[in-house]
Amino acid sequence: MPYELIAILMFSTMMLMLFTGQRVFAAIGFVAVIAAILLWGERGGYDIGFSAIIKVMRWYPLLTLPMFVFMGYVLSESKIADDLYRMFHVWTGGMPGGLAMGTIGLMVLISAMNGLSVAGMAIGATIALPELLKRNYDKLMVTGVIQAGSSLGILVPPSVVLVLYAMIARQPVGQLWLAGAIPGLMMAALFIVYIAIRCRLNPKLGPTLSLEERDQITRAEKMRLLRAGLLPVGIFAVMMVPFVNGWTSLVESSAVGAIAAFLAAVAKRRMTWAVFETSVRQTLGITCMFMWIITAALAFGAVFDGLGAVRAIDDLFTDKLGLNPWVILILMQLSFILMGTFLDDTAMLVIVAPLYVPLVGALGFDLVWYGVLYTITCQIAYMTPPFGYNLFLMRAMAPPEIKLGDIYRSIIPFVFIMILALALVMIFPQIALWLPAQVYGL
Amino acid sequence: MRVLRAYVAVVDRCNWAIGRVVMFGLFALMGILLWSSISKTFFVPSLWTLEMAQFVMVAYFILGGPYAMQMGSNVRMDLIYGALSPRRKALMDVLTVGFLIFYLGVLLWGGIESTIYSFSFGGERSSSAWRPYLWPIKVTICIGVTLMLLQALSELAKDVLYLATGEPVRHEDEAPGSQALGEKDGGEKERGDAL
Amino acid sequence: APAIVRAQSPIRWRFQTYAGAALGEQVTKPIIDYINAASNGEMEVELYYADQIVPTGELFQALQRGTIDGVHSDDDSMASPTPLRVFGGYFPFATKHILDVPVLFNQYGLAEIWDEEYSKVGVKWLSAAGQDPCNFNTTKEITSVADLEGLRLYTFPTAGRFLSRFGVVPVNIPYEDAEVAVQTGELDGMAWSGITEDYTVGWADVTDYFLTNNISGAWIGSFFVNQERWAELPDHLKQLVMAAIEAGHTYRNQWYWGGEARLRATGDKLALRTVPAAEWAEVENAAKEFWNEIAQEGEVHERIVSIFREYNETINQAGPPYTF
Ligand code: NA
Ligand code: NA
């Protein structure tokens, strides 16, 4: 059987097994080891499966994962982000849809503290969402706001996804992080514009806070709440200043950030045993989920690689079809988005990225710029059914009145906004590349 | 049935206890990374910190894996699965848990081969200047994967029990709206805890 | 007739090299291309780069079991389970030039020792060759031995053991991750290669200085094959594989020899720094002690160290160009 056919067979079998609803890592891992055994004998099977654990062990940026997850849970469970939410609440509540716009602002600040989307998701779903629903905000819109807003965590620096991309594409992490900053803010601005337009057209979607409620808040109170903004700035500084100055490495910085968040909660007397226990337990749960999927996906990727699938696809695109580089790039992004609906970003990263990244480089595109495109695609993948982390997190955390169908429908407009952002960054690469060029003097 | 129940009780309790301890390994990891940055800033950087952190991380997610499975942390693609009734879900799981068991079995096999290797030729040592022996982490991985395998069998047993008796064994087995069940087998079963 | 030969299904090998794609293009791929082109369809060797199929640490086991059929690596970083482990790679100050390696193997008896030791652990050793020297490329300036103190460097295990005497903190990560690790602050640089490799793989883009002093004149890397797969190979293909490897050695010798000179002279990404020879002698003297310690580790160790001593005496007597 030709290798291309085996590759297609592997991929479709995996899809089919994912649809049975068995645990994702089991489906990916099973296909990987079965394929390895059929192709390379039973020794190949067990070697590939097990050595993926060793690969995971040696892939040092993964050490940041439990740190960022823990930090996210500490911030949400201890409710130290409450003040932050209230800050936006009183400052933006007067506008139609203002609370939803404020939530986007909240998500941007949280994104600057954390390298994943878990923190934003946890805070958004447990603090902002109930509050927004209580104020009669449209549930479809706000559910989408939180899912889309929290996905900024992987685009606004620091970003774990961009570090993993950096390792595969061998591009400078610093430049990639800076490249994500402006597109991240631009996307946040697009979300806000979208909310503003919808609420202008139909004010019932996002009612303003009542006059009485607004009058209750004194000017002094408003100013006092601004201080809440110091927390993310502080945590961002504690993590990033030593990192940028080379005093701490990336993984050390993530530990410092986690400890800083923990100490902030202790200082604010919010670190009860229950909060602590929940944060520690949930961190184990989420970390295990990620790590087992990565382990299985690395095994899958090794077999896929071993089939020469990478070369076959490169061949097909460049030699056989002889397509224009831009057409290839757009096709790749489309296929990425399509696969992103089914696969998670870690699986995409280890299975698909090694296939595409060299091709993008060979076509003469800037790989820092492509890192931003890649990350935006991951953001889309996070929210699109049937498979996405923000989707799962939302389902696990949302109040009962939010139904599965609501969650699915809520993301549609935001996916379109993200595709728009993707198109903008593609057409105007300077959106991504200007900031790193300024800082690094390129 | 009695045997199955006893098996579930023993395995779940055991993995629950291990997971509850292992979850605090997070702080070991944090401590190592913190020490790494302190020693680098004020003294000579340590030889062992990065590699030790990697060992702790692997032990953390491999040994904690079964408890995470009890908590329902391992995501599933539930486009179709999510819409099924608890009974059909159980049936589906009975049919597909074999994938999981097979995968874990192959992992364990590879783990054992690699562990045997790590004891031969005078003991395999890591390719770092610190040169730790590798058998402790490999043995840990083997133990963890074995526990995962036992947990996967326990999940199968729970589904079989549910299908045979109609009595919910886990929280997810209940029909929507039915009475919540106590912590029958020691594991924490709230779906809300899933993620 | 060729048609009949081609009708049989080709012998397929999975071959993994220690090098990443950019370097592998120069150091391993020419050999694989040669075999595939010259075997007239009788062999199809598929080349995989660093950690692609199995991580480097598990490489040797995978080769023994036949998950991988062939490997290009040094004994040290692939964690060879033989006493040769410490010598393959960069044994401090054992060589001065790239041609020292084939001379040591073919004229001073290392080839027999390698062949013998690998037969014991079930792997066929084919050939060894020299590569570039082990220089330092770093983000921090090195102008004296004291500057090594506290540097976190990506380096070979044995070289790392040796350098830790000067306060270097050797860090071991997958080859392909080293470049990003400099950017994430995990590393201050590398003690891994000559300047050709620094430019080829992109390390010159993330570090600023190149130290012209080295701790070894040439890397010792080998080609290995799974024993059964080698035994199955018809004689004419064995010859072909060996010829391809020799051709690859020749190409590589030139690539490195020319590259080291050209990039030191004209490269603009790394600023050259030098520790005065009198001071660097301190490092060389420490290597002599290190040799003594290693020689005491076993009988094979002793034999190899005595061969290194013998060879070094010879070239020292001969003088330049053998001693620079
Ligand atoms: Na972020
Ligand atoms: Na998705």
Side-chain angles (χ1 to χ4, degrees), chain A residues 44-68:
Chain A
Y46 65 66
D47 261 354
I48 297 286
F50 175 77
S51 60
I53 298 180
I54 303 295
K55 280 190 185 175
V56 165
M57 180 166 92
R58 299 291 183 197
W59 206 5
Y60 74 88
L62 293 178
L63 290 169
T64 61
L65 221 131
M67 297 300 138
F68 282 132

Side-chain angles (χ1 to χ4, degrees), chain B residues 20-50:
Chain B
R20 297 292 295 181
V21 174
V22 166
M23 72 183 192
F24 291 101
L26 178 69
F27 297 100
L29 192 57
M30 230 180 255
I32 292 167
L33 295 177
L34 193 65
W35 172 248
S36 174
S37 51
I38 292 172
S39 70
K40 187 166 83 174
T41 313
F42 300 104
F43 321 102
V44 174
S46 307
L47 276 181
W48 53 271
T49 46
L50 185 66

Side-chain angles (χ1 to χ4, degrees), chain A residues 340-343 380-388:
Chain A
T341 66
F342 296 100
L343 292 171
I380 298 172
Y382 271 25
M383 314 191 302
T384 45
F387 191 90

Side-chain angles (χ1 to χ4, degrees), chain A residues 110-116 152-159:
Chain A
I110 290 163
S111 295
M113 288 191 281
N114 203 287
L116 297 164
L152 292 171
I154 62 169
L155 188 56
V156 173
S159 159

Side-chain angles (χ1 to χ4, degrees), chain A residues 3 40 43-44 46-48 51 55 58-60 166-167 170-173 243 249-252 305-306 311, chain C residues 12 14 46-48 51-55 58 62 65 67 152 174 176-177 179-181 183-186:
Chain A
Y3 279 1
W40 303 344
R43 294 177 157 176
Y46 65 66
D47 261 354
I48 297 286
S51 60
K55 280 190 185 175
R58 299 291 183 197
W59 206 5
Y60 74 88
M167 310 214 72
R170 259 161 292 130
Q171 294 298 308
V173 175
F243 175 68
S249 69
L250 173 79
V251 289
E252 291 161 0
D305 237 9
R311 266 159 277 177
Chain C
R12 283 178 189 274
R14 282 183 301 276
E46 286 162 351
L47 176 62
Y48 300 97
D51 298 286
Q52 226 177 334
I53 293 189
V54 288
E58 303 283 298
R65 296 189 198 117
T67 308
R152 303 219 281 189
E176 293 279 49
D177 296 350
E179 184 178 341
V180 174
Q183 295 159 347
T184 60
E186 252 68 36

Side-chain angles (χ1 to χ4, degrees), chain B residues 122-192:
Chain B
E124 185 193 5
R125 301 174 83 154
S126 171
S127 292
S128 63
W130 180 37
R131 297 205 302 154
Y133 283 101
L134 286 176
W135 62 263
I137 191 63
K138 291 194 172 172
V139 169
T140 307
I141 294 172
C142 288
I143 293 171
V145 175
T146 306
L147 294 173
M148 279 292 272
L149 205 50
L150 293 176
Q151 187 62 41
L153 290 169
S154 163
E155 299 299 310
L156 173 63
K158 279 180 244 181
D159 288 324
V160 169
L161 279 172
Y162 175 52
L163 289 172
T165 64
E167 278 174 54
V169 189
R170 330 178 176 84
H171 199 65
E172 304 101 273
D173 295 337
E174 292 160 39
S178 73
Q179 199 69 58
L181 205 79
E183 290 200 359
K184 209 169 178 174
D185 44 48
E188 299 192 15
K189 293 291 175 270
E190 281 178 65
R191 205 57 175 128

